[in-house]
Amino acid sequence: MIVTKAGRRMFPTFQVQISGMDPAAEYVLLMDFIPVDNKRYRYAFHSSSWLVSGRADVAAPSRMHFHPDSPAHGAQWMKQTVSFDTLKLTNNLLDDNGHMILNSMHRYQPRFHVVYVDPAPNSQLNAYRNFCTFSFPETRFMAVTAYQNHRVGKPESAGFKLKCQLSFWHPSTRSLKSEYNLPD
């Protein structure tokens, strides 16, 4: 994933198809990124591979990216593919634009969060039961300032796309299933 000081849109875009939500209930969708390990990497051109080059840099303060349509009813989220195409990544530790701050040459795991907006009084007392987090190992990536592999030509090609489908839960049922489909 390319990161720049000014912020760059994440590519490929994280998209998810959701089903099983309560159509009348409201939900908030968010994303964040966590380090996969505590290592810094470098790319070895002679072997076309990533090598550990030391300990990870200090992690930037964690941020959450709220989907711009949040909060919305379950019916809205389920009627079409949800795309996080406005999400931008940066390596600028002083960013004040709300972009996701990542360290270059480090590995990250995107996480997708769904929060049920509980209309009950004192709902904050049960807040821990009103969210669910999804992460897919296939979406792990290396944050870089330029593509390191000469074999990566056109990243916009179909081979870079990942389709995720979620069957969601409602807090009253407490059941959850997730599926993900990789391109052929």
Side-chain angles (χ1 to χ4, degrees):
M1 222 47 79
I2 300 285
V3 295
T4 64
K5 291 287 183 198
R8 184 159 170 170
R9 290 196 180 198
M10 185 174 158
F11 182 84
T13 302
F14 185 89
Q15 297 178 340
V16 65
Q17 182 70 41
I18 303 172
S19 63
M21 287 180 161
D22 178 349
E26 284 196 325
Y27 299 88
V28 173
L29 304 185
L30 310 107
M31 278 196 73
D32 71 349
F33 299 86
I34 57 170
V36 171
D37 53 32
N38 63 352
K39 297 175 175 75
R40 180 179 178 81
Y41 293 85
R42 68 179 176 84
Y43 190 75
F45 289 95
H46 66 279
S47 62
S48 296
S49 63
W50 289 97
L51 303 173
V52 175
S53 67
R55 296 183 65 171
D57 296 330
V58 175
S62 183
R63 289 183 173 178
M64 291 289 232
H65 175 80
F66 283 73
H67 190 281
D69 295 339
S70 289
H73 289 97
Q76 180 180 338
W77 294 127
M78 293 186 296
K79 74 179 178 182
Q80 61 193 19
T81 299
V82 177
S83 177
F84 281 84
D85 55 356
T86 60
L87 187 149
K88 286 191 174 183
L89 307 175
T90 185
N91 57 359
N92 179 6
L93 296 174
L94 302 176
D95 175 75
D96 59 358
N97 296 310
H99 302 329
M100 305 302 289
I101 302 171
L102 306 177
N103 289 322
S104 298
M105 310 307 272
H106 290 66
R107 292 179 62 200
Y108 289 93
Q109 171 71 59
R111 294 190 307 178
F112 173 62
H113 309 277
V114 181
V115 181
Y116 167 69
V117 179
D118 191 348
N122 297 324
S123 63
Q124 72 276 9
L125 299 176
N126 295 317
Y128 66 94
R129 293 191 306 185
N130 292 335
F131 73 91
C132 192
T133 298
F134 300 89
S135 61
F136 303 96
E138 293 82 3
T139 62
R140 289 182 180 172
F141 65 88
M142 186 74 64
V144 297
T145 55
Y147 287 113
Q148 304 294 312
N149 189 333
H150 68 280
R151 288 183 260 179
V152 176
K154 290 183 143 191
E156 293 81 13
S157 67
F160 276 80
K161 295 182 181 171
L162 174 70
K163 181 180 177 185
C164 299
Q165 293 182 331
L166 303 178
S167 295
F168 196 64
W169 98 110
H170 187 275
S172 63
T173 63
R174 300 303 299 156
S175 64
L176 171 68
K177 295 188 303 184
S178 64
E179 300 173 7
Y180 45 92
N181 299 319
L182 297 173
D184 295 335

